[in-house]
Amino acid sequence: FTSKDDDEVGFLPADLVICNADVPFATETILSASSNDGNNYDWNDKFDYSSGVIAFHWSFAQQIEALNTHNVFMSAKNTEDAVSSWSVLRDGDDSKSINKSLKDQPFNFYVHRASHTDETAAPPGCDSIMVLVPCKPLVRMTELASLPREEAILKYKQQFDEDLVNDVREAVMERLSVLQGLENLQDRLIDEVIDTPGTYADYYNVGGGVPFGLSHGLGQLSLTRPGAEPSTHDNVLFVGASSRPGNGVPLVLIGAKLVAKRAIKKLQRKGSNIQ
């Protein structure tokens, strides 16, 4: 804990702690004996992670009637394009793609236009959209684990530098420009907020900067996914997207309900009369 005046930092033992921090981050920082009082950023990179995301939050001085609420843009001119469209960003270090602009490669992205169903999402005559472009997670650098959190995060953000983000923005704008009424969309852009795996790591301490937690491959599905109880601490319970049963709002809520029941039983065994 930190005192009200920030002049005292201390530790209070607890009968039970429910940890909703991302599991791969929590095990390497919050629960790690070598952690710098939690003032560092690191994660367990032995897991398989879901896709990272470059997110553009755009405001425009025009309404974008060509878009529905949910829009998915796919590249599938042929089988080869369809396959490579899912790897061009996630495997960005591949020699075939690293020196090529995203505009010259097949890629997929999602666009959400809230104002299509909620007119309060943008002022009259204007519009706002969110664009999600799949990308690779952060690449863990062991030498950053011992640095103060702010320094480590700053270096991780450099993995998604301005040149890369500009290239992705231009590629998305070019794809959108084929829609009727969006030919000069970039000229109508009045505000932009950008998120990358680096900013998600900064905001939420998620492992690899991945907002969706661990992937759902067979090796991390159901009983093979990290459980609620870590082997290192008998008074800690994990809850969240990277723990069992999995990511996505329904599964996280199911996991939270199961952890709440388990917490009550653990406290009752310790003598609590909690119901």
Side-chain angles (χ1 to χ4, degrees):
F1 70 89
T2 303
S3 66
K4 183 178 180 180
D5 298 324
D6 292 333
D7 58 357
E8 182 181 0
V9 177
F11 176 80
L12 292 176
D15 292 331
L16 183 64
V17 175
I18 295 179
C19 178
N20 69 343
D22 196 38
V23 172
F25 163 80
T27 56
E28 300 302 307
T29 56
I30 300 174
L31 302 184
S32 173
S34 60
S35 174
N36 183 23
D37 293 327
N39 186 32
N40 60 319
Y41 174 74
D42 194 21
W43 72 95
N44 185 340
D45 61 352
K46 295 180 181 179
F47 292 107
D48 292 325
Y49 288 83
S50 55
S51 176
V53 167
I54 297 175
F56 297 97
H57 309 271
W58 286 334
S59 298
F60 294 98
Q62 74 173 68
Q63 289 184 301
I64 308 177
E65 300 292 353
L67 295 176
N68 294 315
T69 304
H70 302 287
N71 311 265
V72 179
F73 291 79
M74 309 285 288
S75 292
K77 295 179 180 178
N78 50 55
T79 302
E80 183 179 357
D81 273 4
V83 172
S84 63
S85 67
W86 291 110
S87 61
V88 62
L89 280 177
R90 297 202 65 182
D91 303 331
D93 292 332
D94 189 291
S95 59
K96 295 180 181 179
S97 63
I98 192 169
N99 294 319
K100 293 175 63 177
S101 169
L102 188 61
K103 291 186 291 185
D104 300 326
Q105 303 174 74
F107 72 102
N108 309 309
F109 62 98
Y110 164 80
V111 180
H112 179 236
R113 180 187 173 222
S115 61
H116 186 69
T117 53
D118 179 8
E119 61 182 15
T120 67
C126 299
D127 221 328
S128 61
I129 64 174
M130 176 184 67
V131 179
L132 301 181
V133 184
C135 69
K136 61 182 180 180
L138 294 172
V139 177
R140 180 173 178 258
M141 303 170 68
T142 56
E143 65 270 22
L144 302 185
S146 59
L147 291 181
R149 183 182 182 280
E150 292 76 12
E151 293 183 33
I153 289 292
L154 183 60
K155 290 184 178 296
Y156 277 121
K157 285 182 177 180
Q158 294 171 4
Q159 294 185 12
F160 289 82
D161 60 18
E162 185 176 356
D163 289 341
L164 188 153
V165 171
N166 287 343
D167 182 61
V168 176
R169 181 198 298 106
E170 291 175 9
V172 171
M173 285 289 188
E174 184 175 278
R175 288 276 293 278
L176 290 175
S177 68
V178 303
L179 299 177
Q180 185 175 1
L182 304 187
E183 294 85 356
N184 300 305
L185 186 61
Q186 187 153 353
D187 296 337
R188 309 294 289 171
L189 180 65
I190 56 177
D191 190 59
E192 175 183 67
V193 175
I194 304 170
D195 286 315
T196 69
T199 59
Y200 287 121
D202 191 9
Y203 296 154
Y204 308 115
N205 284 323
V206 286
V210 172
F212 306 114
L214 302 184
S215 68
H216 275 258
L218 291 177
Q220 295 175 167
L221 189 66
S222 185
L223 295 179
T224 60
R225 199 171 184 84
E229 298 188 50
S231 59
T232 55
H233 296 72
D234 62 3
N235 66 333
V236 173
L237 292 175
F238 288 129
V239 65
S242 289
S243 60
R244 204 177 295 164
N247 58 28
V249 173
L251 290 182
V252 170
L253 290 177
I254 291 172
K257 183 177 181 179
L258 294 174
V259 165
K261 291 181 178 180
R262 185 174 297 188
I264 291 174
K265 290 182 178 179
K266 287 178 74 74
L267 291 173
Q268 287 174 339
R269 288 198 294 267
K270 292 177 178 289
S272 172
N273 59 2
I274 187 173
Q275 298 296 318

